[in-house]
Amino acid sequence: MNHGKTRIILLFLALPLALYGALVVSPYAQAFSIALTSWSGFTADKPFVGLDNFQRLFQDPEFWQALGHNGLLLLVVPLVTIALGLFFAAMLNVGGSDGKVAGVRGSALYRRVYFLPHILPVVITAILWQFIYNPQIGLLNGGLDAIGLGGLAHTWLGDPAVALWSLIAVMVWAGVGFYVVLFSAAMQSIPKDIFEAADLDGAGRFQTLTRITLPLLRESVQVAWVYLGIHALDAFALFMVLTPTGGPDNSTMVLSQYLYLSAFGNGKFGYATAIGVMLSLLSLLLTALTFRGSRDKNTIEF
């Protein structure tokens, strides 16, 4: 009987495992094999060079510069996006001031407004912000001039000091709406009795958010952090439209962009694939560390 069950289980698992191996594992294995060559991408010949591409990576200042930019994105984008998402979600769900556990007036409209940037395609978002950041006719410099702050006007995408921060602002703007909706859904699953009890105990809005809401949303925040971390390690489409050559003095170059330019700009597919392998390993490491950091903590049930 047990042997019969085992055969049935193996029979049902065979096709999914075969598809997973062909469509997921095989491309990774193929990418790693290409990373061990000096393939130009346009010939059938793929000279084997072993680990030379990886050794060159560790001595490549542009690689480290791009990695540093990804590190900054990894630190700032999830932190700011999650903080804003939690704040706006709290205001929309428990931020009312009329004595009831409810959101601020007009919260349904605000929720749709916050989510609107997320439904725009990345390319449309990038083109929109190209106009906003335009130093001559852009909305941002024009707005600063209109309120008497013209001294703060910049060539936002042409100044190495502010170019990367300008792109980070776009990433946060485009992503925060989705996490407002995500955290709002999670907050609505928390019994209102908990918030009412905190209110009766004299807890303020900030205390309620940091000591009650945030611990109860820990798993949602954890998932958001992983998604945003992977997004920060990628960030390809937005950067390629706004700063297609990596910005002034490579000030906005990220790993995915450096990979693309190495492959299709310089004809170094083997080297570019080595960058891709490193990027994949960093993504896996980020995910493992995030889930490892919260594995030992008890889940709060309500």
Side-chain angles (χ1 to χ4, degrees):
M1 185 65 181
N2 289 335
H3 291 296
K5 284 185 178 178
T6 302
R7 280 197 294 269
I8 291 175
I9 292 172
L10 290 176
L11 181 63
F12 278 100
L13 285 178
L15 181 58
L17 287 176
L19 289 174
Y20 185 82
L23 300 177
V24 178
V25 178
S26 175
Y28 278 107
Q30 187 179 11
F32 186 74
S33 68
I34 293 175
L36 302 177
T37 71
S38 60
W39 187 39
S40 67
F42 303 103
T43 63
D45 187 29
K46 299 177 182 176
F48 181 78
V49 296
L51 297 174
D52 283 1
N53 286 329
F54 294 96
Q55 291 177 344
R56 287 173 54 200
L57 272 183
F58 291 113
Q59 300 170 355
D60 184 351
E62 288 188 59
F63 169 76
W64 288 108
Q65 186 181 22
L67 182 61
H69 293 158
N70 275 108
L72 183 63
L73 294 181
L74 190 59
L75 179 65
V76 175
V77 172
L79 191 63
V80 176
T81 304
I82 289 175
L84 290 175
L86 282 171
F87 173 75
F88 289 132
M91 294 301 294
L92 295 178
N93 291 277
V94 296
S97 58
D98 56 356
K100 297 179 181 178
V101 180
V104 296
R105 185 174 299 176
S107 57
L109 173 63
Y110 292 138
R111 192 173 289 115
R112 288 174 175 80
V113 171
Y114 291 143
F115 193 70
L116 182 61
H118 185 71
I119 65 175
L120 294 176
V122 176
V123 174
I124 300 298
T125 297
I127 293 174
L128 175 67
W129 279 90
Q130 268 184 336
F131 285 109
I132 292 175
Y133 281 147
N134 188 296
Q136 280 82 40
I137 60 171
L139 180 64
L140 183 54
N141 281 351
L144 290 172
D145 281 333
I147 60 175
L149 296 175
L152 297 178
H154 277 85
T155 306
W156 298 101
L157 300 178
D159 184 346
V162 297
L164 184 59
W165 292 103
S166 301
L167 293 176
I168 288 175
V170 179
M171 292 180 72
V172 172
W173 176 84
V176 71
F178 174 80
Y179 294 96
V180 170
V181 174
L182 177 71
F183 296 143
S184 292
M187 286 183 188
Q188 288 171 4
S189 68
I190 300 174
K192 291 186 177 180
D193 297 350
I194 297 177
F195 295 113
E196 290 171 352
D199 190 41
L200 289 174
D201 288 340
R205 296 301 184 205
F206 182 73
Q207 286 178 309
T208 303
L209 176 64
T210 56
R211 298 189 180 185
I212 296 177
T213 308
L214 191 56
L216 293 176
L217 298 183
R218 193 183 65 219
E219 293 183 357
S220 297
V221 173
Q222 176 186 325
V223 171
W225 193 279
V226 172
Y227 283 160
L228 285 164
I230 293 173
H231 182 53
L233 287 175
D234 180 10
F236 174 73
L238 182 69
F239 279 56
M240 280 302 292
V241 176
L242 286 172
T243 54
T245 59
D249 298 331
N250 289 336
S251 59
T252 65
M253 183 77 76
V254 290
L255 285 179
S256 57
Q257 198 174 15
Y258 188 42
L259 182 159
Y260 177 85
L261 294 175
S262 297
F264 296 97
N266 301 323
K268 300 177 181 177
F269 272 74
Y271 189 67
T273 309
I275 299 173
V277 170
M278 293 300 295
L279 195 55
S280 299
L281 293 177
L282 288 173
S283 300
L284 290 174
L285 180 63
L286 168 70
T287 305
L289 288 176
T290 303
F291 283 102
R292 178 68 180 83
S294 59
R295 192 177 63 181
D296 297 333
K297 297 178 181 177
N298 295 325
T299 301
I300 301 174
E301 297 183 356
F302 48 86

